[in-house]
Amino acid sequence: MSGLGGGTVGWDFFISYTAEDQAWAEWVAWQLEAVRYRVLIQSWDFVPGSDWRFKMEQGITHATRTIAVLSDSYLSSVYGGEEWRAARAADPEGLARKLLPVRVEDCDRPGVLRTVVSVDLFDVAADVARLRLLDGVRAALAGRVKPEAEPSFPRLPQRTPPPRASPPQSRPRPLGVPLTGHTDRVRSVAFSPDGGLLASAAGDRTVRLWAVGNPRRARPIGAPLTGHTGGVWSVAFAPDGLILATTSNDQTVRLWDVSDPSNACLIGRPLAGHTGSVRSVAFAPDGLTLATTSTDRTVRLWDIADPSRAQPFGDPLTAHSAAVWSVAFSTNGYTLATAGADRTLRLWDIADPYLVEPLGGPRIGHTDSVRSVAFSPDGQIVATASSDQSARLWDVTDPRRARPFGVGLTGHNGRVESAVFSPDGRTLATAGGDQTVRLWDVTDPHRARSLSRPLTGHNGRVTSAGFAPDGGDARHRRRLRGMALGRVSSLNPQVPVLPGRRPSGRASPNVMASCADCSGSG
């Protein structure tokens, strides 16, 4: 959407950058054009035959605002200095906010540039960077950022620092009314990485998306996702939140573009290869690999670097002797955990997805089918949930010598269907056939203990539970309101990461979702 707008030359933003930061500049430009801003950027618009000097002056003159991509290289550039100073000179007091600095590394800003508020994109993950950029642009256009919700009443500061706290023991309360719409049992739920969306999968062969940025007023977004010819068992978001994976009794996996959740659409063809119901799905932390499990007793890894042309990695993993119910990646992406009806937990080295190796033999600790498996955020603990009415914690610091911590977590009066860690790793939630959810303090995995009374309210067995990654805070509510109306291509440039820097950080949770099989069968 660069170049001409409305028949005359004019742009919303001119991107000022140096050659060293071209990847960042293109990523910024892509995000802005995805939400319908008009952008002028040298690498896309200075085509053969253009007078680059005239084009540059035209951008500075006719663009409403200049985005300066700040780095040490940019700040030492002669042309970069000319461009940001020209934008500053056109608005010396900053009242029109014609200069918008976007820092892509932690650089010191000289002179008057130091007093201009910047948008900082360094040292954060792609979804956080996208959120910061679009929120910063909207704030610059509006001139003010006032939250819709009234701020909470401030608490008096504590006079002495508290000791390392255990998870809160106050009884959690439901947020709003139950989310209804599915016409059959709801089998799986998952939050998007930014906490603004919830996906639910059901036996009615559909997947539904819900806006939960304000969890007290959750609402459906768009039409149900249809296409599976059997009940949907599992749902998972990619780490960037733009792709959703679903699995079904129809023996397939489907990938959906949910960059615009009101107009989600199928990506490519369904992934086929399993010969039984596909029960569980998980994305690797880098978003390039997908793992699935099936009643055909196998685990499969899929190359989804190009999600429209997903392909299996090598042969399926065949060590389980019965249906495989659950799969999870470690946080570093090198270890895979699987669990199944053969009552075992298995760990796999998947550093090379074409040459997967088991890490030791099967781990046996449960006396019945293992329904769910989950890694703690630090990757050192695995939790399992079983039909033997218990959950267990396993020390996987050395995955070749995994061993259980203490005794199983007991209290459920039916099979335990799901186990999931909170993002800070201090709380474990388990969901069960006794129609309850239980919370456990696992700060000390040797002495895990129950927190509060069981959470009740469902009138069928609770089949899945999930924590919101951010607690549904106001920043992500703003992102949901400002989401692009047009679909973002799967070729969207990835957020660049400077050498030696890694994306980091996400807020603590305070929201949890669960779903129930209210039919009581299956």
Side-chain angles (χ1 to χ4, degrees), residues 22-227:
Q22 179 174 330
W24 271 109
E26 291 184 350
W27 184 87
V28 168
W30 189 284
Q31 308 312 314
L32 295 174
E33 291 198 351
V35 290
R36 301 296 186 265
Y37 291 116
R38 297 167 300 164
V39 177
L40 177 68
I41 177 171
Q42 179 177 350
S43 61
W44 297 349
D45 294 300
F46 290 29
V47 297
S50 301
D51 183 321
W52 69 267
R53 186 70 179 181
F54 174 77
K55 195 82 170 180
M56 196 79 71
E57 293 174 353
Q58 192 180 47
I60 296 171
T61 303
H62 294 288
T64 305
R65 288 174 175 81
T66 295
I67 288 181
V69 180
L70 298 190
S71 66
D72 287 330
S73 296
Y74 181 88
L75 293 173
S76 62
S77 164
V78 173
Y79 289 122
E82 289 181 3
E83 290 162 13
W84 75 255
R85 287 187 179 91
R88 182 66 174 173
D91 179 31
E93 296 179 347
L95 298 179
R97 298 167 299 284
K98 292 186 68 66
L99 174 63
L100 181 56
V102 172
R103 292 200 301 168
V104 297
E105 69 179 28
D106 190 6
C107 52
D108 291 328
R109 292 166 292 175
V112 295
L113 196 57
R114 184 177 295 118
T115 64
V116 183
V117 178
S118 65
V119 176
D120 293 345
L121 304 185
F122 55 87
D123 289 349
V124 296
D127 58 337
V128 178
R130 186 178 300 107
L131 171 65
R132 285 188 181 180
L133 174 66
L134 297 182
D135 275 357
V137 166
R138 284 191 290 270
L141 295 178
R144 195 180 192 211
V145 182
K146 178 182 177 181
E148 286 191 356
E150 177 186 355
S152 58
F153 184 76
R155 297 177 179 272
L156 291 174
Q158 294 180 330
R159 297 186 181 279
T160 57
R164 187 172 185 265
S166 293
Q169 299 189 41
S170 58
R171 180 175 172 80
R173 299 186 302 275
L175 289 170
V177 298
L179 309 184
T180 59
H182 286 292
T183 58
D184 201 343
R185 67 196 69 164
V186 184
R187 291 167 168 163
S188 178
V189 291
F191 281 100
S192 62
D194 67 6
L197 290 177
L198 182 75
S200 58
D204 61 8
R205 306 182 183 183
T206 72
V207 175
R208 287 178 176 264
L209 298 175
W210 311 84
V212 293
N214 183 344
R216 297 184 185 277
R217 294 179 176 86
R219 57 181 177 82
I221 292 184
L225 309 187
T226 60

Side-chain angles (χ1 to χ4, degrees), residues 306-327:
D306 180 352
S308 64
R309 295 180 176 85
Q311 299 289 335
F313 279 114
D315 296 324
L317 313 184
T318 57
H320 282 283
S321 60
V324 192
W325 298 130
S326 185
V327 63

